[in-house]
Amino acid sequence: MAQSSLLNAPHDAFIRRHIGINAQSLPTMLQAVGAATLDQLIEETIPEGIRMGNEMELPAPLTEQELLAELARIGDKNALYRNYIGAGYYGTLFRGYPRNILENPGWYTQYTPYQAEIAQGRLEALLNFQTMVCDLTGMEIANASLLDESTAAAEAMLMLHAQRKEANRNKIFVSHKCFPQTQAVLATRAEPLGIEIVTGRVEDFTCDASFFACVFQYPDGYGRVRDYAPICAKAKEAGIATAVIADLMALVLLPSPGSWGADVVVGSAQRFGVPMGYGGPHAAFFATREAYKRHIPGRLIGVSMDAEGRTAYRMALQTREQHIRREKATSNICTAQVLLAIIASMYAVYHGPDGLRAIARRIHRRARVLDASLRALGFVPLNDSYFDTLVIESDQESLDKVRVIAETKGINLNFLVKGQVGISVDETTSLSDLAQVVSVFAAITNGLQADVMVLDQSMDAQASSNQSAVFTERTDAILEHPVFHRYHSEHELLRYIKRLESKDLSLCHSMIALGSCTMKLNASAEMMPITWPSFGLIHPFAPVSQTLGYQQIFQELTQYLRQVTGFAEISLQPNSGAQGEYTGLMVIRAYHRSRGDHHRNIALIPSSAHGTNPASAVMAGMQVVVVACDEQGNVDMADLRAKAELHSANLPA
């Protein structure tokens, strides 16, 4: 940045309020480093050969108010349809307390807790998250969250593959009714490691000795709630581990996967108070059995004691942390989706077990009302057991009409394979919403109608919620810890949130002397639009024609990044630095394979590199050769040259 552009900016300019250097401090700082100007400092620091020689073609800067107004105009290009797509993303009531966390720099500036002694508040909130996940999944241990549901499923696959007892077990069975996005991520992650994915019907799965694991969705991608206990028992007898991708809200009512023998349970906590946001970010969960505690990916929060005998929280069991295991690590995940996990945990704290049951039962009853209404019109769902999703089968001509009518009414349904459409309800679905959905199907019948209100009142009059469900409810207690019973009024919850916040050191309080990408004080103007309905209520599988605002942002950001980086193309998909490394290495791998150089599989990585670097290389199917460094972390260039020459025939990166 030119010195003049910083010091001559108007007093109320965005740059003056968000970059701390001013006319008084700048000369002192420059004197300390021996430079007369910022431009001189850049010239002495950045070699001329890699400096950009021309100005970037960027639009003129906007003031903060102009930026927010422009974002509002862009957001208005997104169409707010009522979404019944489901498939892992659901409407949720974004109440006041999540906003209090999401827009609060005391919570969002240090979203991963590196130093336990200055992060006791968020560590307690994350312990609540882990407790909630363990209770609902029926598992013995859970981590402090992962990046998304599909990534969590891939982490389960990698962990179980690494822990298999027989090296010749290299297949994993994946139910064809797992969500498509998860199947895609599993396929991407499996290929470099030589893991063979067998996809098919659960009924056809034969538990032979070539498999190390099997993966099921619960409820499945077509909404069906099925009892996996028998297949789980057969798998266990055959030495095959079971991983389950579960809906956290459904687990409030359904028997837990732990109760029928699952080894790993993963999923998304999105519907616990976090907007869909066109796909994220959302906190995933990863729960497993005690036997896997030293192999669980990510961060794990434990309870300890301080020097004065008081309860203290710490990051525990980080034995497979990438900085320790490096090229032996089977995962490159070393962080957590803390901010969203905290919001999800507060959702459970606020509602408690009774409140969650009430929400889950209301969702399920809405699905039953929809079921009865559609049956009255002659549409019989394929799945007779369900939590919140129905799948209707009909001739394609009729469903084409349904699609057109639904779109004219501002409704998104989930059109699956030919002749099938899925409808998922959530906690935001009202009876009037259901009536509108039913009217779509009624429009293609011969004048038939279904009275949604009457059906709801009829079901409400039934003796008990258990009798009204189309599955057997779980009977074990959930969320018994006192924290889930204390804070059920808004005042109590906000005081609890504030009390935890005050136990942390954040950039609200001071500079944190820790060089990390996870310590940043975002401007308020950057956080506000996240909560706007025009951005937050968009389903990731909504038609592109409804997301023109998002598309504009993606296109403009990609264009800017091309100029900044000098690259021909940009991917916006990786949702962490480690995922970006992995993506880059997979691109390098694909490049060499496109040239027929399948033998290039050795990556040179300095011993001082971030621990995720060697882990990412191994995940991309590469063999890591470590390059020596001195005590300050500087690369030993002679060792680098020697190893590059030694491995030149097989060196991809």
Side-chain angles (χ1 to χ4, degrees):
M1 176 190 307
Q3 185 168 322
S4 59
S5 61
L6 173 64
L7 301 183
N8 296 331
H11 181 73
D12 62 345
F14 185 88
I15 190 173
R16 288 285 294 271
R17 289 186 291 110
H18 290 279
I19 296 180
I21 302 171
N22 55 38
Q24 290 72 43
S25 60
L26 183 60
T28 303
M29 298 172 72
L30 288 171
Q31 184 178 10
V33 298
T37 64
L38 281 176
D39 291 335
Q40 181 188 340
L41 177 62
I42 293 297
E43 288 171 5
E44 294 178 357
T45 306
I46 309 298
E48 185 177 3
I50 64 171
R51 264 184 263 154
M52 190 180 295
N54 56 303
E55 291 289 329
M56 290 189 292
E57 295 180 9
L58 300 176
L62 302 176
T63 67
E64 186 170 332
Q65 292 308 310
E66 288 171 340
L67 172 67
L68 290 172
E70 177 63 16
L71 274 172
R73 284 192 289 271
I74 293 172
D76 287 342
K77 296 180 180 180
N78 294 325
L80 289 180
Y81 280 41
R82 288 292 290 143
N83 285 294
Y84 304 93
I85 299 173
Y89 304 92
Y90 306 90
T92 185
L93 296 175
F94 189 69
R95 298 173 174 85
Y97 60 88
R99 187 183 299 272
N100 182 270
I101 296 170
L102 186 62
E103 294 186 357
N104 185 340
W107 284 106
Y108 70 65
T109 60
Q110 70 296 19
Y111 65 81
T112 191
Y114 276 112
Q115 296 168 276
E117 63 274 21
I118 59 169
Q120 288 294 292
R122 74 194 51 246
L123 289 177
E124 180 175 333
L126 289 173
L127 187 70
N128 294 343
F129 178 84
Q130 292 176 182
T131 303
M132 167 189 79
V133 170
C134 285
D135 281 5
L136 294 178
T137 60
M139 305 306 285
E140 297 160 342
I141 193 168
N143 72 8
S145 77
L146 289 176
L147 298 170
D148 58 77
E149 178 173 289
S150 299
T151 297
E155 290 293 324
M157 174 181 71
L158 297 182
M159 184 187 81
L160 295 174
H161 182 255
Q163 298 307 308
R164 70 198 192 283
K165 292 184 171 57
E166 297 141 84
N168 61 339
R169 289 181 180 261
N170 219 40
K171 292 181 183 177
I172 183 169
F173 175 82
V174 178
S175 167
H176 74 298
K177 290 189 176 179
C178 289
F179 291 140
Q181 66 270 26
T182 299
Q183 292 189 51
V185 172
L186 288 172
T188 298
R189 292 292 191 87
E191 191 269 336
L193 301 178
I195 297 172
E196 181 182 346
I197 293 180
V198 177
T199 305
R201 302 192 324 150
V202 173
E203 297 84 353
D204 299 334
F205 175 43
T206 54
C207 301
D208 67 60
S210 63
F211 289 91
F212 68 88
C214 51
V215 182
F216 310 126
Q217 189 97 39
Y218 180 65
D220 70 26
Y222 280 59
R224 183 184 176 193
V225 175
R226 65 181 302 155
D227 179 12
Y228 289 109
I231 188 68
C232 218
K234 288 181 182 177
K236 198 171 293 292
E237 287 177 10
I240 300 169
T242 304
V244 178
I245 308 162
D247 184 314
L248 204 58
M249 184 64 77
L251 293 184
V252 173
L253 298 184
L254 298 180
S256 70
S259 69
W260 37 260
D263 294 292
V264 184
V265 186
V266 302
S268 171
Q270 177 267 317
R271 67 191 309 176
F272 275 39
V274 180
M276 288 184 288
Y278 203 34
H282 306 133
F285 61 86
F286 188 111
T288 187
R289 301 201 173 278
E290 190 81 13
Y292 292 104
K293 68 182 178 183
R294 296 193 178 276
H295 309 285
I296 189 170
R299 297 194 176 278
L300 190 73
I301 311 307
V303 181
S304 188
M305 190 178 294
D306 69 10
E308 298 180 4
R310 299 172 300 189
T311 297
Y313 305 101
R314 63 189 175 90
M315 285 174 286
L317 292 174
Q318 295 298 302
T319 55
R320 66 188 300 277
E321 180 75 53
Q322 287 69 27
H323 296 78
I324 299 169
R325 293 180 57 84
R326 302 186 69 80
E327 64 269 16
K328 293 183 177 64
T330 56
S331 165
N332 67 351
I333 298 291
C334 68
T335 186
Q337 195 67 271
V338 172
L339 185 63
L340 289 311
I342 288 172
I343 290 175
S345 77
M346 290 302 177
Y347 182 96
V349 167
Y350 180 57
H351 291 293
D354 293 338
L356 288 181
R357 286 192 196 95
I359 292 168
R361 284 175 179 152
R362 185 168 63 249
I363 291 171
H364 177 59
R365 195 175 76 184
R366 293 286 189 262
R368 292 191 64 245
V369 169
L370 181 62
D371 181 358
S373 303
L374 292 174
R375 286 176 187 271
L377 298 174
F379 298 98
V380 179
L382 287 175
N383 50 325
D384 54 356
S385 63
Y386 51 83
F387 169 63
D388 62 1
T389 298
L390 303 175
V391 174
I392 302 299
E393 190 170 51
S394 186
D395 63 276
Q396 190 58 41
E397 183 181 355
S398 296
L399 292 189
D400 287 342
K401 293 178 182 177
V402 165
R403 185 193 291 268
V404 172
I405 297 168
E407 288 179 354
T408 61
K409 292 177 178 286
I411 291 173
N412 284 329
L413 303 175
N414 189 9
F415 291 90
L416 301 160
V417 297
K418 188 174 182 179
Q420 295 179 355
V421 60
I423 313 166
S424 297
V425 299
D426 54 51
E427 71 165 318
T428 70
T429 307
S430 67
L431 289 177
S432 60
D433 291 329
L434 291 183
Q436 191 178 38
V437 172
V438 171
S439 72
V440 171
F441 288 85
I444 65 169
T445 64
N446 296 320
L448 295 174
Q449 292 293 331
D451 194 329
V452 169
M453 189 68 71
V454 170
L455 287 167
D456 180 67
Q457 292 170 347
S458 171
M459 291 177 187
D460 201 25
Q462 293 187 38
S464 74
S465 59
N466 279 353
Q467 290 175 337
S468 68
V470 296
F471 50 79
T472 302
E473 277 199 28
R474 68 187 298 166
T475 56
D476 55 319
I478 59 171
L479 306 183
E480 293 186 286
H481 191 279
V483 74
F484 300 108
H485 297 264
R486 288 177 180 159
Y487 308 108
H488 295 167
S489 75
E490 183 164 317
H491 283 116
E492 290 169 330
L493 183 72
L494 291 179
R495 287 166 184 156
Y496 178 58
I497 292 172
K498 189 65 179 178
R499 192 158 65 247
L500 295 190
E501 180 196 338
S502 67
K503 294 180 180 181
D504 283 14
L505 180 71
S506 77
L507 293 183
C508 289
H509 306 99
S510 70
M511 178 60 192
I512 300 173
L514 179 65
S516 171
C517 61
T518 60
M519 303 287 175
K520 46 174 119 21
L521 186 56
N522 290 324
S524 299
E526 294 174 283
M527 302 302 291
M528 289 165 54
I530 296 172
T531 65
W532 295 350
S534 58
F535 292 112
L537 300 186
I538 306 298
H539 194 286
F541 300 147
V544 172
S545 61
Q546 297 173 19
T547 65
L548 298 182
Y550 267 116
Q551 303 310 315
Q552 178 179 337
I553 290 174
F554 298 158
Q555 290 163 9
E556 291 180 356
L557 178 57
T558 298
Q559 177 187 342
Y560 302 155
L561 290 175
R562 283 198 198 104
Q563 292 192 58
V564 171
T565 63
F567 282 111
E569 197 48 82
I570 301 291
S571 169
L572 301 177
Q573 188 167 355
N575 55 357
S576 78
Q579 303 301 76
E581 294 166 11
Y582 176 74
T583 304
L585 287 163
M586 290 293 283
V587 169
I588 289 171
R589 182 174 186 269
Y591 166 75
H592 288 300
R593 292 191 159 226
S594 73
R595 295 158 55 91
D597 292 339
H598 293 254
H599 59 283
R600 291 191 176 272
N601 66 341
I602 291 177
L604 301 185
I605 299 181
S607 61
S608 62
H610 194 286
T612 59
N613 298 166
S616 295
V618 171
M619 290 168 58
M622 297 181 186
Q623 178 185 337
V624 174
V625 172
V626 179
V627 177
C629 296
D630 64 20
E631 292 181 357
Q632 283 74 44
N634 299 305
V635 175
D636 182 332
M637 297 304 292
D639 190 53
L640 174 61
R641 289 191 186 94
K643 286 174 177 170
E645 290 173 4
L646 177 64
H647 299 288
S648 59
N650 300 308
L651 193 64

